[in-house]
Amino acid sequence: MRVVFMGTPDFAAPLLEKIIADGHEVAAVYTRAPAPAGRGMELKLSPVHRLAEKLAIPVFTPKSFKNAETIGAFADLRADVAVVAAYGLILPQAALDAPRFGCLNLHGSLLPRWRGAAPIQRAVMAGDAETGVMVMKMEAGLDTGPVAATARVTIGEDMTTGELHAALAAAGAELMAKSLRDLSEDGLSFTPQAEEGVTYAQKIDKSESRIDWRRPAREIHNLVRGLSPFPGAFFESDLGHGVERVKVLRTKLETGEGAPGAALDDKGLIACGEGAVRLVEVQRGGKAPMAIAEFLRGRPLAPGMTLAI
């Protein structure tokens, strides 16, 4: 089929590769416009943009779909279907109706749970045991469209958002590929979403990233893995070299009691409001992620020392 692909982050890239490998014609790729990044604030292409250029596919980066010219250019591509995966822009009804079979969205949750911007992170932060990907026909509401296909993925107790992201991207590429084959052969059947169990995955706010050691250990563990690798949960403390911000990328749930934020041994076991977590992987500002043993060689954490709450 003739496909327009619309996506931006790493999550979407394997799907674009799969669509091409399956022999579909990708008429164009739509992705978010390059944004300043890094210390030099140079314009950085999105992962999907880089892949599309590598594959010599025309790329469009409109700032919105609010004007008739942008919608007209999209319609002029005369696509059979638009495939959307974490694109980042709202599509008006005129755009949704432009492809012959409409727009199919690959969403990273088990709808109607976790509609919205950050479904993968929110599922981990909430301690969900399972999530998945769904192929949904897009409509004007926020992730409210009927669903054609589902793939479920188990969330391990220590799984990070980064690990879950990779698992869902792989499962999603296969799921959408099958849906496109079904669409081209016999068509797809869609089932309306349940009206109960709706939750919204709000965009992650920077204020959520600071670790509050007064919270239960399980909540802190879920926060850490939900924000790993980005933006990273963190604490700030003076460990002998002035106040530093330290990202915590991995923890383990363990038993232990003490004042919240207090070290219970010299190997990174930290007391929480209820229970304890062991620091497994951390990252100092401007440094690469490191195992806790390496971190403690330069920043010893003796029993009784307290991290800032």
Side-chain angles (χ1 to χ4, degrees):
M1 290 193 297
R2 184 172 170 84
V3 176
V4 170
F5 186 83
M6 312 179 84
T8 296
D10 288 317
F11 175 76
L15 176 53
L16 176 56
E17 290 182 307
K18 180 62 176 175
I19 290 172
I20 293 170
D22 280 4
H24 299 289
E25 176 194 1
V26 179
V29 163
Y30 278 71
T31 189
R32 294 298 297 269
R39 293 182 178 179
M41 297 301 286
E42 296 181 0
L43 291 179
K44 184 178 180 180
L45 303 183
S46 75
V48 167
H49 195 150
R50 293 196 301 272
L51 178 59
E53 287 195 346
K54 178 181 177 181
L55 298 171
I57 301 171
V59 177
F60 295 87
T61 59
K63 293 183 177 180
S64 77
F65 272 77
K66 294 181 179 180
N67 61 76
E69 183 179 354
T70 299
I71 296 174
F74 179 68
D76 287 344
L77 292 168
R78 300 188 181 282
D80 291 315
V81 63
V83 173
V84 184
Y87 176 36
L89 292 183
I90 295 174
L91 300 180
Q93 194 63 51
L96 297 177
D97 293 339
R100 183 159 66 105
F101 295 115
C103 299
L104 297 182
N105 176 239
L106 182 69
H107 186 77
S109 80
L110 298 177
L111 294 165
R113 185 164 176 78
W114 301 129
R115 293 174 178 171
I120 301 175
Q121 289 168 307
R122 292 296 178 189
V124 178
M125 291 168 70
D128 291 359
E130 183 183 53
T131 187
V133 282
M134 287 183 157
V135 173
M136 170 191 68
K137 187 167 186 179
M138 295 179 70
E139 56 184 33
L142 178 62
D143 298 329
T144 58
V147 173
T150 302
R152 295 177 177 271
V153 174
T154 299
I155 305 176
E157 185 177 85
D158 297 323
M159 180 179 269
T160 67
T161 284
E163 292 164 342
L164 180 57
H165 183 283
L168 290 174
E174 294 297 330
L175 188 69
M176 181 63 80
K178 182 180 184 304
S179 295
L180 290 179
R181 289 195 297 271
D182 292 344
L183 180 63
S184 66
E185 293 170 1
D186 303 313
L188 285 174
S189 59
F190 293 89
T191 302
Q193 292 183 34
E195 296 182 3
E196 297 181 353
V198 175
T199 59
Y200 288 93
Q202 303 294 337
K203 185 178 179 180
I204 302 298
D205 188 272
K206 290 182 180 179
S207 64
E208 298 179 78
S209 299
R210 183 184 291 272
I211 296 172
D212 182 349
W213 299 107
R214 295 168 294 188
R215 295 168 63 181
R218 185 166 294 278
E219 289 186 14
I220 292 174
H221 179 62
N222 291 342
L223 176 74
V224 166
R225 63 198 188 95
L227 299 182
S228 178
F230 182 83
F234 72 90
F235 65 87
E236 290 181 322
S237 189
D238 186 347
L239 300 177
H241 298 266
V243 176
E244 295 179 283
R245 175 173 293 196
V246 179
K247 288 185 179 182
V248 181
L249 302 177
R250 287 185 187 273
T251 55
K252 282 277 189 182
L253 287 170
E254 294 195 13
T255 57
E257 294 182 2
L264 300 180
D265 63 16
D266 60 358
K267 297 180 181 179
L269 183 63
I270 309 299
C272 305
E274 178 182 309
V277 296
R278 184 170 299 280
L279 306 180
V280 175
E281 185 179 27
V282 298
Q283 183 177 15
R284 290 166 43 208
K287 303 295 183 179
M290 64 184 74
I292 187 61
E294 180 183 355
F295 173 81
L296 292 174
R297 282 198 289 270
R299 304 289 190 275
L301 192 56
M305 290 181 63
T306 301
L307 303 181
I309 293 177

